[in-house]
Amino acid sequence: MIRRFGLVCKLLISALLVAGAAAALTGCWDQREVDKIGIVLATGIDQAPGGRIRVIVQNVNPAALGLGTGGGGGTASLAASKPYRNRSVEGNTMFEAFRDLSRQTPRQLFFAHNQVILISEKLARERGVAEIMDFLQRNPQIRRTTWLLVGKGDPAVILDEPGRLEDTPAQRIFGFINERRLTSQYAARRMGDFLELLESESTQPFTALIERIPNPASPEEHKNRLAEGQVAEPHHTLRINGTAVFRGDKMTGWLDSRESRGLLWVRGEVEGGVIDVPSPDPKGGRVSIEILGSRTRLQPEIRDGQIYMTVEIKTDGSLGEVTGQLEVSKPETINKLEATMAGAIRGEIASALAKAQQEYGVDVFGFGEAVHRKYPRQWKEIKGIWADLFPAVQVQARVEVNIRRTGMTTNPLRPRQK
Amino acid sequence: MVKNKKYRLEIKQPRLAAGIIFFTAKACGLPPAVNVWGVELKKILETLLRLITYQPDFDREGFILRENEYDRQSVPERRDGGQKSPGGPEGGGRNGGGEGSGRRTPRRAARPRRKDEPAGEAEPGRVHSRLDENRRAVERIYGLPANKDVILREFSLGTDPPLRAFMVFIDGLADRKSQYRLLENLMIHCRILRPGDVMSASRIMTSLLPGSQVKNLDSFEKIADAVNYGDTAFFFEGSDSALVVETKGWEARTVDRPETEQTITGPQEAFVENLRANIALIRKIIRSSDLYTEIIPVGARFRSDVAVMYIKDLANPDLVAEVKRRLSSITVDFVTDVGMLEQFIEDSPYNLNPQTLATERPDRVAAALAEGKVAMLLSGSPFALVVPTTMFSQLHTGEETYLRWQYGSFIRYIRTFSFYLALLLPGSYLAVTLYHQEMIPTELLLAIAGNRERVPFPTVVEMLLMEFSFELVREAGLRIPGIIGSTIGIVGALILGQAAVQANIVSPILVILVAVTGLASFSIPYYSLAFAVRIYRFFYIAMGALLGFYGITIGLFIQILLTVNLKTFGLPYLSPAGPRTFPGRDMVGRLPVFLQRRRPDYLNALDDVRLPGAPRGWVEGGDGGSEDGSDR
């Protein structure tokens, strides 16, 4: 027994030694303390003179997020309490530029929590995104679920527009996109989806466009009231405005809110939002209907050498607001409303089609894929000339609207006294 | 001789050192004055060494704890009168240990026995028919009159003619009241006997001694065994055997509530230190003539009784035989608790997981017996050892069976979850925060990073610090005298919680983590298993800190390998999950009692069916649940 115990001890010690040596040899090479990494929440990419690339990273300052006040206290200065830091550097390639950032940042940058990649419109229009996508695709830390946006103007400006509710502009933009179903007025893509579109045979990439606008909530006369102790609203604010569409890897145009929703209708990605139609009441007024989700089917048909596309959309709605007088309680009214709403949806689709087919000539709808799926043999012949065929595709939209609810009341308020 | 050699070795060193100095000085061609100085240095060194090493000083210490005979020869003899041993070491056999001063036997086995030493038992030790002989023998065995708590009372029977007799018992172990009655009978009431009757021990046993358990013994060894356990021995003139009457009656704890296995529902009795009472507690629950209790003596020098309990027509006979085989093969000085016994009979002493189940609840033992398991009770231990046991039964308490099945299952799922929590939470936290930061939700990562910003230590150190402090509080809380026990809560809460965070020694999230881990480990009902989990946890902390989730995976792999290979009394430790056997609907989730128709399959009980017929006979169909009524 004692001998066996000794043997076990010897085995254990040697195993420990081997394990220890193995552990020491690897040296915990990718171990990093949470507080020693520079967490990047947003990345901006811009063009720089001389064919170079400029990157902007938004580094979060966790201690200033108001989470780490464990009672240590102290009077941190305003600058130290800024929850984020933007740093910018230029380089010939993305990788070189990012690595060059380590000369500015005390901590190793950590991209796995990057929420937003912001590509400047200039870069997207002039140089194209293909060469920057390689790094984003290759780097293991950058996730394919990161939102990819096109930014109007300098990314550094957009990424330095703090909000009141969220701590960093990155979280703010992320918050916008998470609420996208409330309007469905822009088509944001994740990086992975964008990459798929880039590599698609027929469908062209697109993604949402963000811009900085003067803040209408910051009135002119309040601008200098800081002395009175009032914190003024920021002079500018961020807004996602429509969808940038690409031809190949270069941005070629832009769809406004209405056209963007038309795009989403065809792609079957409308999950919500408000549609505004004129009231069927002859005296006028308007009706706003909330969209409760949609289903879309694309049915291509090749007849006599012409490609026809039938877009079947089924959607549900809920009455959100009625101005003027309308007998909402009558089924006929609802039927009329449904017909009007269907017309409005068809109008949105038509506007998107007009822009995409006639003006830009880019298939962002996925028509090519639908044709490919239904006519795989013919597709082989036409895929080479799809860009030329696409503008001539005859599209017919069939919309079926079903208004399910009318809200907490039926007929609108009618003041009895004159 | 040995010692002398040692001393020489010790003195060698300064000489050597001084010699080296001396010769270096010479070799360097230093003047002879330096040589002289070198000799001085040698003396100084020797003195220094004498000061810092142990030098025996017999005159000052006055007493030497000698190791053996060889010691006696090597050190100067300085015996005084205090060490005279009256009987010499050779008398009394194995029960003479109480007299003790001259005997130094613990090392006897390690040393070759010398020719002139007495070889063990000198005489057979039979009871003589002459009372004086017996008296002398008893005095020799117990070292009377030096041994003060062994009482030898002489009296004569009130017969005609009076019969000389004496009785022997140990003061405090034997019950006075029953002794009074015995003496009363022997000395007074025996006058009813006709004069001239032959007063043999057996005659007295049948007609005079009112004790309920009387044995007629003629071997001094057996008599002493009984007397050492509280019985009273009666010797009579002319009888070559003695009567041993059961008079056990010592101060003992009464049956109390369970201390370590508390439940809200169910019986609230716990075992005590009294073997007979413990057996009775079990018998009270299982009222069956098939419940067998076999007593197996354990302990080479000081005897303890182990009661092996099982149900004859349920427990697998091979299992019972194996338990008895292991118990009877133990050679140990003495055993005080089943915890010691456990270490002698368990299959894999080097594995961390406990392989037996020690419980202080009679109802739990009864339930195990009814499943076909075997229980061991040890005299003097308030715990019963149940074998074989699985890890699942170690994670159970009796309470879940007493509760309705939904509640019982809920508790068990919580407990299973907390088992993993206690095992893996700190390690996983380290792995995530050191290697896999991308796995944490962004907001949480920012919170953790913000908290850690001011902490000076690496996360591993922080974690070990907190875990160590927690273990400290736990251990100190156990050892702290009850009267100042409330201090520990304040100290623990304040130091571990508030102050450490405020001083930026640890981050608050870690305090929460360690607290949750601690709570989780307390929720493991079996103390030994909780211990194993506590130790394994540190293993996972190391693996997580060194290799991240990769390391934790390696650790889990190793642990599962070790645990799956474990067997307890022929039963795989992880059954019924390890090798998949029929689970009996009582593993993690617990189905209604009336659906548990069969005993656990892995036990191979003699009778497999627990619920014959219709368990809920008043319901149409008879089982109140499953349609087919079969246990599938």
Side-chain angles (χ1 to χ4, degrees):
Chain A
M1 197 60 124
I2 288 163
R3 215 157 148 202
R4 204 177 136 204
F5 183 72
L7 195 73
V8 166
C9 276
K10 264 183 208 161
L11 273 176
L12 212 68
I13 287 167
S14 46
L16 273 178
L17 278 177
V18 169
L25 285 174
T26 59
C28 315
W29 60 274
D30 67 342
Q31 178 180 338
R32 26 177 201 229
E33 293 282 346
V34 174
D35 51 328
K36 297 287 180 288
I37 54 175
I39 301 162
V40 175
L41 285 185
T43 312
I45 304 159
D46 196 6
Q47 210 174 9
R52 281 156 74 82
I53 293 224
R54 175 168 162 254
V55 295
I56 298 111
V57 295
Q58 183 152 93
N59 233 332
V60 74
N61 176 12
L65 284 180
L67 300 156
T69 53
T75 50
S77 69
L78 202 66
S81 65
K82 187 176 176 182
Y84 64 93
R85 267 296 142 87
N86 289 344
R87 290 187 174 87
S88 171
V89 78
E90 289 180 8
N92 287 325
T93 62
M94 297 263 291
F95 193 35
E96 186 206 343
F98 276 125
R99 203 38 76 79
D100 202 26
L101 272 172
S102 67
R103 293 195 296 164
Q104 293 185 32
T105 54
R107 295 173 182 182
Q108 194 193 340
L109 294 180
F110 185 66
F111 286 92
H113 284 275
N114 196 2
Q115 315 265 343
V116 175
I117 296 170
L118 199 66
I119 298 169
S120 79
E121 192 184 1
K122 214 169 108 194
L123 176 95
R125 279 192 191 274
E126 289 167 18
R127 278 187 66 168
V129 294
E131 43 186 288
I132 62 164
M133 293 314 273
D134 181 76
F135 173 76
L136 300 178
Q137 200 177 2
R138 206 174 285 280
N139 191 314
Q141 280 192 357
I142 293 172
R143 300 185 176 204
R144 289 169 70 89
T145 53
T146 315
W147 291 104
L148 191 85
L149 297 179
V150 172
K152 246 191 164 90
D154 187 0
V157 175
I158 294 174
L159 289 180
D160 198 16
E161 196 58 62
R164 286 276 181 267
L165 298 175
E166 296 293 342
D167 294 303
T168 62
Q171 285 165 295
R172 196 165 169 220
I173 297 169
F174 187 67
F176 292 165
I177 301 174
N178 272 346
E179 305 299 331
R180 63 192 178 281
R181 66 173 55 197
L182 291 183
T183 59
S184 295
Q185 282 178 342
Y186 53 88
R189 294 292 96 168
R190 295 179 187 274
M191 201 186 83
D193 298 335
F194 192 83
L195 283 167
E196 268 173 39
L197 292 176
L198 260 179
E199 292 181 358
S200 160
E201 282 179 341
S202 56
T203 314
Q204 299 286 2
F206 57 91
T207 188
L209 186 130
I210 191 164
E211 62 182 8
R212 178 171 175 263
I213 55 165
N215 189 358
S218 167
E220 197 61 36
E221 55 263 35
H222 279 188
K223 270 189 178 164
N224 295 315
R225 280 176 67 179
L226 192 61
E228 297 169 28
Q230 175 171 353
V231 178
E233 283 296 312
H235 303 325
H236 291 84
T237 186
L238 297 177
R239 184 180 71 174
I240 294 187
N241 188 12
T243 307
V245 293
F246 288 70
R247 180 196 295 277
D249 71 322
K250 280 195 176 125
M251 177 174 163
T252 178
W254 170 73
L255 303 179
D256 67 10
S257 300
R258 191 169 129 86
E259 293 152 359
S260 296
R261 189 145 74 195
L263 167 66
L264 292 175
W265 280 120
V266 177
R267 292 188 65 89
E269 291 174 13
V270 175
E271 290 174 66
V274 175
I275 196 157
D276 177 44
V277 295
S279 171
D281 190 52
K283 283 182 205 153
R286 293 198 75 83
V287 177
S288 291
I289 301 164
E290 164 132 51
I291 304 161
L292 301 174
S294 70
R295 290 170 302 285
T296 301
R297 264 179 77 196
L298 295 180
Q299 285 185 312
E301 197 176 358
I302 302 180
R303 211 165 56 224
D304 311 330
Q306 171 69 42
I307 301 166
Y308 297 89
M309 182 68 66
T310 310
V311 182
E312 283 180 18
I313 295 170
K314 281 184 187 169
T315 180
D316 292 339
S318 158
L319 213 56
E321 187 178 355
V322 177
T323 62
Q325 292 307 320
L326 191 67
E327 289 289 322
V328 178
S329 50
K330 286 187 183 164
E332 307 91 70
T333 318
I334 297 296
N335 289 344
K336 267 188 220 165
L337 269 179
E338 287 173 349
T340 326
M341 185 175 160
I345 292 172
R346 275 198 298 273
E348 287 182 345
I349 294 171
S351 66
L353 281 167
K355 258 281 178 60
Q357 280 188 311
Q358 265 62 55
E359 199 175 331
Y360 304 136
V362 289
D363 174 15
V364 285
F365 303 102
F367 287 169
E369 276 167 29
V371 173
H372 185 181
R373 232 171 279 141
K374 189 162 178 192
Y375 300 102
R377 222 166 295 138
Q378 285 94 324
W379 176 253
K380 277 180 192 155
E381 297 162 20
I382 59 173
K383 72 176 174 187
I385 51 166
W386 177 249
D388 301 327
L389 290 178
F390 169 69
V393 174
Q394 296 286 314
V395 182
Q396 193 200 359
R398 281 195 206 141
V399 183
E400 191 189 320
V401 175
N402 209 338
I403 292 179
R404 302 262 178 206
R405 293 188 282 274
T406 60
M408 303 288 285
T409 172
T410 52
N411 292 339
L413 182 76
R414 183 177 298 169
R416 295 293 168 103
Q417 294 170 356
K418 289 277 173 180
Chain B
M1 282 171 270
V2 181
K3 281 274 161 101
N4 282 345
K5 207 178 168 190
K6 232 193 235 166
Y7 295 154
R8 218 175 289 135
L9 266 174
E10 279 164 6
I11 299 165
K12 226 183 218 169
Q13 288 158 341
R15 273 188 192 159
L16 199 72
I20 288 168
I21 291 164
F22 186 80
F23 283 112
T24 8
K26 220 173 196 177
C28 291
L30 290 169
V34 181
N35 287 353
V36 173
W37 186 75
V39 173
E40 288 298 317
L41 194 72
K42 186 174 131 191
K43 275 183 186 162
I44 291 170
L45 270 175
E46 275 183 22
T47 323
L48 266 177
L49 213 81
R50 199 163 289 137
L51 279 174
I52 60 174
T53 52
Y54 171 72
Q55 304 291 327
D57 185 352
F58 307 122
D59 292 328
R60 219 175 43 178
E61 288 165 11
F63 169 71
I64 307 125
L65 198 59
R66 293 187 193 85
E67 188 173 352
N68 52 29
E69 294 295 325
Y70 302 106
D71 252 11
R72 258 172 228 195
Q73 293 168 7
S74 63
V75 294
E77 197 71 20
R78 233 201 95 201
R79 291 189 68 117
D80 51 25
Q83 287 208 350
K84 261 173 213 147
S85 48
E90 45 281 344
R94 50 177 281 213
N95 292 305
E99 80 184 274
S101 58
R103 288 157 56 98
R104 296 268 160 239
T105 41
R107 293 290 188 106
R108 189 162 56 179
R111 172 170 63 90
R113 188 186 293 277
R114 288 195 315 182
K115 286 262 171 65
D116 53 354
E117 266 183 279
E121 311 284 345
E123 50 181 296
R126 296 261 159 216
V127 177
H128 205 271
S129 56
R130 279 171 57 199
L131 195 65
D132 292 334
E133 284 292 326
N134 290 338
R135 193 193 156 132
R136 262 196 293 282
V138 168
E139 277 176 350
R140 199 170 60 234
I141 289 169
Y142 282 108
L144 296 175
N147 203 353
K148 286 292 184 285
D149 61 348
V150 177
I151 310 295
L152 195 149
R153 158 86 157 86
E154 286 186 88
F155 61 96
S156 48
L157 264 69
T159 49
D160 191 22
L163 186 71
R164 280 177 62 227
F166 70 87
M167 70 177 198
V168 182
F169 62 95
I170 293 177
D171 196 16
L173 280 184
D175 178 34
R176 294 260 163 101
K177 275 181 191 156
S178 40
Q179 281 180 333
Y180 278 141
R181 184 155 315 142
L182 293 172
L183 282 180
E184 201 177 10
N185 261 34
L186 288 174
M187 291 163 76
I188 301 161
H189 296 158
C190 59
R191 288 174 210 279
I192 55 169
L193 288 178
R194 283 190 302 277
D197 275 357
V198 183
M199 280 297 134
S200 72
S202 52
R203 172 95 172 93
I204 293 169
M205 181 166 100
T206 44
S207 54
L208 268 180
L209 280 180
S212 59
Q213 280 185 41
V214 185
K215 277 176 285 186
N216 195 349
L217 299 175
D218 60 356
S219 147
F220 274 116
E221 190 182 331
K222 281 184 181 162
I223 293 167
D225 268 351
V227 170
N228 291 344
Y229 201 32
D231 291 350
T232 307
F234 288 91
F235 292 85
F236 304 100
E237 175 72 60
S239 298
D240 59 355
S241 61
L243 293 183
V244 177
V245 189
E246 201 266 350
T247 53
K248 294 182 181 64
W250 52 80
E251 291 300 320
R253 206 160 58 98
T254 50
V255 173
D256 208 348
R257 294 172 71 90
E259 290 285 331
T260 59
E261 290 172 82
Q262 284 171 353
T263 59
I264 296 181
T265 54
Q268 301 289 340
E269 281 177 340
F271 288 126
V272 290
E273 284 78 1
N274 190 342
L275 180 66
R276 297 286 165 188
N278 290 347
I279 293 172
L281 283 175
I282 295 172
R283 278 215 180 262
K284 199 177 67 180
I285 300 172
I286 301 183
R287 280 177 290 187
S288 163
S289 48
D290 288 323
L291 176 60
Y292 278 36
T293 307
E294 291 188 34
I295 303 278
I296 294 176
V298 163
R301 177 178 286 270
F302 309 109
R303 194 185 117 151
S304 298
D305 288 337
V306 177
V308 180
M309 297 184 80
Y310 56 95
I311 294 178
K312 182 70 180 169
D313 55 356
L314 273 186
N316 195 308
D318 291 344
L319 175 67
V320 177
E322 175 65 15
V323 170
K324 288 197 282 192
R325 187 181 75 87
R326 290 194 190 181
L327 280 177
S328 49
S329 72
I330 296 172
T331 52
V332 56
D333 218 20
F334 75 120
V335 186
T336 44
D337 190 81
V338 285
M340 284 174 78
L341 199 65
E342 175 190 354
Q343 298 174 51
F344 279 96
I345 60 169
E346 67 190 350
D347 291 63
S348 310
Y350 305 116
N351 197 298
L352 219 48
N353 283 75
Q355 294 139 52
T356 56
L357 180 75
T359 175
E360 59 168 353
R361 299 180 61 92
D363 54 324
R364 211 166 164 203
V365 175
L369 292 178
E371 276 187 341
K373 294 181 179 173
V374 177
M376 280 167 271
L377 289 95
L378 182 73
S379 51
S381 169
F383 285 90
L385 216 56
V386 175
V387 292
T389 180
T390 64
M391 197 169 100
F392 295 101
S393 60
Q394 284 171 353
L395 282 170
H396 294 170
T397 67
E399 180 147 35
E400 293 113 44
T401 318
Y402 304 138
L403 290 171
R404 299 186 61 231
W405 67 275
Q406 298 96 330
Y407 318 153
S409 298
F410 174 71
I411 292 180
R412 278 196 193 167
Y413 276 112
I414 293 222
R415 202 177 288 149
T416 310
F417 180 65
S418 69
F419 173 79
Y420 285 110
L421 222 55
L423 197 65
L424 295 174
L425 186 63
S428 305
Y429 173 79
L430 284 177
V432 164
T433 54
L434 290 180
Y435 293 92
H436 317 286
Q437 288 95 348
E438 58 273 2
M439 283 183 68
I440 320 173
T442 307
E443 305 286 328
L444 181 61
L445 177 72
L446 295 181
I448 294 173
N451 281 331
R452 281 216 23 90
E453 203 73 32
R454 290 159 190 273
V455 177
F457 303 117
T459 318
V460 193
V461 176
E462 208 185 346
M463 173 69 77
L464 287 177
L465 207 71
M466 283 307 284
E467 282 290 339
F468 177 72
S469 316
F470 187 82
E471 294 293 328
L472 204 65
V473 169
R474 196 172 169 161
E475 179 63 15
L478 200 61
R479 307 288 162 222
I480 203 161
I483 227 159
I484 48 174
S486 57
T487 337
I488 204 78
I490 301 162
V491 169
L494 283 184
I495 288 185
L496 288 187
Q498 198 73 19
V501 170
Q502 279 193 348
N504 285 323
I505 302 292
V506 293
S507 51
I509 195 159
L510 206 78
V511 177
I512 300 171
L513 209 84
V514 170
V516 168
T517 312
L519 281 181
S521 74
F522 278 124
S523 77
I524 297 172
Y526 187 35
Y527 187 63
S528 295
L529 189 66
F531 245 121
V533 168
R534 274 159 78 182
I535 296 170
Y536 266 129
R537 183 196 304 154
F538 284 95
F539 174 63
Y540 282 112
I541 287 177
M543 294 306 270
L546 282 178
L547 295 168
F549 272 133
Y550 176 59
I552 288 185
T553 316
I554 294 175
L556 275 175
F557 188 73
I558 295 172
Q559 192 190 352
I560 288 173
L561 265 184
L562 287 175
T563 316
V564 157
N565 280 320
L566 206 56
K567 276 195 164 192
T568 94
F569 286 83
L571 171 68
Y573 182 62
L574 283 183
S575 51
R580 180 100 183 134
T581 63
F582 183 73
R585 292 179 172 176
D586 189 19
M587 206 163 76
V588 177
R590 190 184 76 79
L591 280 175
V593 179
F594 53 82
L595 289 183
Q596 297 177 15
R597 285 169 175 270
R598 284 163 58 185
R599 297 203 158 74
D601 185 38
Y602 50 83
L603 282 174
N604 293 330
L606 292 183
D607 185 8
D608 205 23
V609 180
R610 178 150 40 188
L611 307 175
R616 275 158 67 87
W618 56 276
V619 190
E620 218 169 321
D623 56 356
S626 71
E627 284 294 309
D628 52 348
S630 70
D631 201 11
R632 263 288 142 209

